[in-house]
Amino acid sequence: MTKAVAKRLKALRQRMSNKGIDVALFWDPDNQYYLSGFRAISYSRPIVYLVYKDKTHYIIPELERDHASQMAEVDDFFIYHEKLQDHDKDTNYLQPLNHIMDDFPKEHVLGVEMDIVPASAYQRLIEKGFDIKDVGEDVIDLRSVKNEEEIYWLEQAGYLSDIALEASFHHVRAGMSELEFDSYGDQQLLETASDEYPDLIIGYENWTCSGIERSSMPHLYSSTRRFEQNDVVVHSRQVWINNYRAENERTFLIGNPTKEQKKCLALAIEAQRVGMEAVKPGVKAKDVDIASYKVFEEAGYGEYIQHRTGHGLGLSEHEEPYLRFDNDLVLQEGMCYTIEPGIYVPGAGGFRHSDTVIVTKDGCRSITTYPRELEDMLFPNH
Amino acid sequence: MTKAVAKRLKALRQRMSNKGIDVALFWDPDNQYYLSGFRAISYSRPIVYLVYKDKTHYIIPELERDHASQMAEVDDFFIYHEKLQDHDKDTNYLQPLNHIMDDFPKEHVLGVEMDIVPASAYQRLIEKGFDIKDVGEDVIDLRSVKNEEEIYWLEQAGYLSDIALEASFHHVRAGMSELEFDSYGDQQLLETASDEYPDLIIGYENWTCSGIERSSMPHLYSSTRRFEQNDVVVHSRQVWINNYRAENERTFLIGNPTKEQKKCLALAIEAQRVGMEAVKPGVKAKDVDIASYKVFEEAGYGEYIQHRTGHGLGLSEHEEPYLRFDNDLVLQEGMCYTIEPGIYVPGAGGFRHSDTVIVTKDGCRSITTYPRELEDMLFPNH
């Protein structure tokens, strides 16, 4: 077992003990990875990770056995099968789960991720008569502060995302589709990663929304829509390497933007700068959100905000804690957040940059560094 | 509302009525899309779709409001907010969910997707005292038989996946990384899609596992590992267009494969052929699985099978029903399956093709057509 996983399990068990939890059962793929070192690509066959006071178990489909054995140092695997030859063994994940629970003393207290575990499994735990407590919030807490190795991988993800943005922006022109714009970045990213990071897993996601109508909706898949002359475009990219993610988003203007569009983008850039400046240990998550919010509000654009200023980042696409107006969480060194205040203005479009920052001893450091000033975001029509 | 969505809602309501369900609540993104026409890209902010006997509601975060209003013709939206200005409105999804439930008569019976709805929400429904029944199995049933329009999009996904495979295979050589191999297909796919399918959303996923050790594990992310001389490689690709997916997988051999490797790949190809031949209306899902299984079993390779012969395909990466030895489901015209029997042989590697087939009146038709014979799968070392 890696030192990092051992340390996390120790911290988890301390929290389990404080809450009187005897066994914690994890369904969330990212929590499983964090606490065991193993992650699958697909969970249509459910995988459950069990953490006891003194041992760990995996309930896992046969096709993941070798991979899990290689990645996770677990005390026991309970395999379920799906081929005719094994018809007399366990053939779905609820069977080993039942056997295991039948061996628990009746007074056992179970910890589960209440926001994750599906009702069908939860109902079984209830029917067995066990007391159940939430353990999801504890792993959110643990995951929120990154160690040195995690920060290293976040930085590499940030570096690769910068390279991808540079390649996409190198080719920007009216007439190319959103997905083609993305693909230049993808290709450069994979080429660079293949050269510099041998034998590692790497991935990415893009969401590019072009034109006034599409950019005004914060979350859309990239499409085959072609950039038009004088378009506003919000390009979002997440890159992950060795499971850790960075987010890098830029809003840019093609051709001759309106005065209003330039003003909105300048405001979003300023709101992001102010948000970043607010980040340091000791301030609350809400302080960062409100700092960015006020930039829009004071300019008369408060009503065009649709979302919080940022989210935690690490193993998941969006992870808690969130930078929201109502979150009293105190920031600590080693936390990782996106800073991405945005406005969505009828007739003008959407305006939002996102960068990924690590909280440092006395402020924060952005691990995504692609240029973000207004003059960097203006491109000719051809 | 589109005709297709209206028809699905009618069929769902018939099933709800048969089960005595008054309101069905959906958490699954693909079920929501199927029953409303709206799909978001991210669900870290939960979205709930409610189907009543005579109306539909969405509980939705503010940033999805415009997109959802455009895509889904719903009778009412319950918006929750996350900016300071709206601190006195609902600020998380459980608040509107609570208001709505408080208006239900106490004797209401609720339908939920028991394998999807998270325990935290389920616990609230229980505490309110409602009877709860599973409605997930009903939507699985409805989704399993595709209509003409769905089959059209599945076919386009199949076509694009073929184009991607052709581009990747055009460049195959020892020395390129798994991710570079993927990227040739990605780029060609996006270029073709941008030309031929304007203003549509398109995406893809690849999992390429090269070398004996990696190919022996059925499910791994593509990595920066470089193909070596005489490698065995399992390349998997899913492409989706307008939300519908096709899967296209090929195992190929670089350089001078061993006799054993050629034999294993020939067996996997034969098992797939036999599986496809078994598919027709009236046979059971298990018959297809067992037909493929027997090819391996009779050649003495049964113990190296790790997974079922195939899964349903449509909106989700893997969807029910599954082609498993224990599934008595009777196949119907319009169903869509992957046929992908595989073996994973110590010292030799993994061997699995996957194609996507539509069940026709008297057999099946593959919507992925990239060459699949042994001689098509042999590539020189350089």
Side-chain angles (χ1 to χ4, degrees), chain A residues 44 70 82-83 91 114-115 117 119-120 122-123 177 194-195 197 199-200 213 224 226 305 318 324, chain B residues 44 70 83 91 114-115 117 119-120 122-123 177 194-195 197 199-200 213 224 226 305 308 318 324:
Chain A
S44 67
Q70 210 174 78
E82 52 185 35
K83 65 174 185 241
T91 55
M114 286 295 289
D115 286 340
V117 54
S120 52
Y122 179 69
Q123 180 63 34
S177 78
S194 298
D195 283 343
Y197 302 94
D199 289 334
L200 273 176
E213 195 194 10
T224 52
R226 292 184 185 279
I305 300 170
H318 292 166
R324 272 177 62 128
Chain B
S44 68
Q70 210 174 79
K83 64 172 184 243
T91 55
M114 286 295 290
D115 285 339
V117 53
S120 52
Y122 180 69
Q123 181 62 35
S177 77
S194 298
D195 283 343
Y197 302 94
D199 290 335
L200 274 176
E213 195 195 10
T224 53
R226 292 183 185 280
I305 299 170
R308 63 198 175 212
H318 292 167
R324 272 177 63 127

Side-chain angles (χ1 to χ4, degrees), chain B residues 189-223:
Chain B
L189 160 68
L190 296 182
E191 207 178 300
T192 304
S194 298
D195 283 343
E196 300 183 10
Y197 302 94
D199 290 335
L200 274 176
I201 55 169
I202 281 148
Y204 54 85
E205 294 177 287
N206 303 303
W207 304 276
T208 302
C209 305
S210 63
I212 290 172
E213 195 195 10
R214 280 177 54 80
S215 71
S216 296
M217 293 182 274
H219 272 177
L220 298 179
Y221 283 108
S222 293
S223 79

Side-chain angles (χ1 to χ4, degrees), chain B residues 21 69 71-72 87 96 117 130 136-137 145 152 158 171 182 194 204-205 211 271 333 335 350-351:
Chain B
I21 293 173
S69 311
M71 305 303 287
H87 67 275
V117 53
F130 296 113
E137 60 191 12
V145 180
Y152 173 79
H171 289 90
D182 296 347
S194 298
Y204 54 85
E205 294 177 287
E333 190 178 347
M335 286 181 165
F351 303 89

